[in-house]
Amino acid sequence: MKTKTNLAILASGNGSNFEAIIKAVKKGFLNLDYCILVTDKRNSFVRERAKKHQIKDIFVDPKKFKSKKDFDKKLIQILNKEKIKIVVLAGYMRILSPLFLNRFKNKILNIHPSLLPSFAGKNAIEDAYNYGVKVTGVTVHFVTQKVDQGPIIAQKTVFIKSNMELKELEKEIHKTEHKLYPKLLKKFLENKIEVKGRHVKVT
Ligand code: GRF
């Protein structure tokens, strides 16, 4: 049975995953009551995408806060006011404080462009490419205090063919992300994802 909910997407950059999720909502693939974008970057392209799709976008300026905790307090305030139940990170470049993580425990999803735990960190696609692995991919996981180490919900492989250029691999990874993230988000919205310690059951 489908249940409706309110979702916040946190993003800092290009926003292609944000847009993939919004398109899935518009197509009726994802059943949401309400979705907002929250960003920490005034000039991020994701804001243009939000405008295009008429999604409320809230910019919170990190410069206005003394600490990461104060910034996250403001985020919590905003998300509480908007009655947000689920938080989706889509290229959000800030590390969330324990305060935020506790407020949305097991309700924060992230997508990472490698097969974790391999190639954690900011340059995962390039790192995998430069390492010379033949298989890399995409991971959707819960967000916990340890960056890129939360329980894994799903992974999808991408093969690195010989003579493949980095640009080509990036394209392939993003294409895979745009399919996988809405699919898993749908499962989550339908309460079909259960986490027990490090183990995640998807039904
Ligand atoms: C994606 O590759 C995602 O895996 C990572 O950040 C990137 C964001 O891309 N966490 P976009 O802003 O969604 O285009």
Side-chain angles (χ1 to χ4, degrees):
M1 205 189 68
K2 286 182 177 179
T3 43
K4 290 198 166 194
T5 192
N6 291 350
L7 181 107
I9 301 176
L10 271 53
S12 307
N14 177 32
S16 67
N17 280 285
F18 165 83
E19 192 156 9
I21 292 167
I22 297 306
K23 281 184 178 166
V25 175
K26 290 200 161 170
K27 269 197 237 155
F29 179 73
L30 289 176
N31 195 25
L32 284 178
D33 269 330
Y34 181 58
C35 179
I36 60 166
L37 167 72
V38 179
T39 182
D40 59 329
K41 289 278 189 297
R42 190 191 301 274
N43 298 317
S44 51
F45 189 63
V46 67
R47 298 188 78 192
E48 299 296 321
R49 298 189 197 252
K51 261 185 222 118
K52 185 173 89 184
H53 291 284
Q54 292 163 320
I55 299 295
K56 179 169 179 176
D57 94 287
I58 302 173
F59 163 63
V60 188
D61 189 351
K63 285 189 209 113
K64 290 195 174 148
F65 300 87
K66 270 192 269 161
S67 65
K68 207 164 74 181
K69 194 174 166 189
D70 286 349
F71 179 85
D72 278 4
K73 267 188 193 163
K74 180 68 186 174
L75 285 197
I76 292 172
Q77 224 177 63
I78 292 168
L79 301 192
N80 283 343
K81 197 170 150 229
E82 301 282 346
K83 299 192 167 36
I84 298 301
K85 299 276 182 287
I86 293 174
V87 177
V88 167
L89 307 188
Y92 184 64
M93 297 313 284
R94 297 173 69 83
I95 293 170
L96 294 166
S97 63
L99 191 79
F100 190 96
L101 293 169
N102 286 332
R103 166 62 184 85
F104 290 98
K105 197 168 186 317
N106 290 338
K107 297 288 177 202
I108 313 171
L109 306 186
N110 185 39
I111 190 155
H112 183 82
S114 76
L115 296 175
L116 289 171
S118 290
F119 307 110
K122 268 199 249 171
N123 302 310
I125 306 177
E126 200 174 340
D127 290 347
Y129 183 84
N130 290 340
Y131 195 91
V133 292
K134 303 294 184 199
V135 184
T136 182
V138 171
T139 302
V140 176
H141 64 95
F142 284 106
V143 178
T144 56
Q145 218 150 318
K146 289 185 181 162
V147 177
D148 295 334
Q149 290 180 46
I152 291 172
I153 301 168
Q155 295 185 300
K156 183 100 186 146
T157 51
V158 172
F159 290 95
I160 305 182
K161 297 175 212 114
S162 36
N163 302 325
M164 197 176 195
E165 306 251 336
L166 175 60
K167 278 266 162 281
E168 235 179 298
L169 175 63
E170 283 169 350
K171 222 170 128 190
E172 203 54 44
I173 291 276
H174 294 312
K175 217 168 88 187
T176 306
E177 288 184 326
H178 302 159
K179 280 191 203 147
L180 191 67
Y181 217 3
K183 220 165 109 183
L184 270 302
L185 188 52
K186 184 179 168 75
K187 294 275 185 193
F188 197 53
L189 293 171
E190 292 173 354
N191 291 319
K192 289 179 175 164
I193 295 182
E194 198 187 323
V195 57
K196 272 192 194 141
R198 281 218 57 85
H199 295 272
V200 179
K201 201 163 108 190
V202 182
T203 51

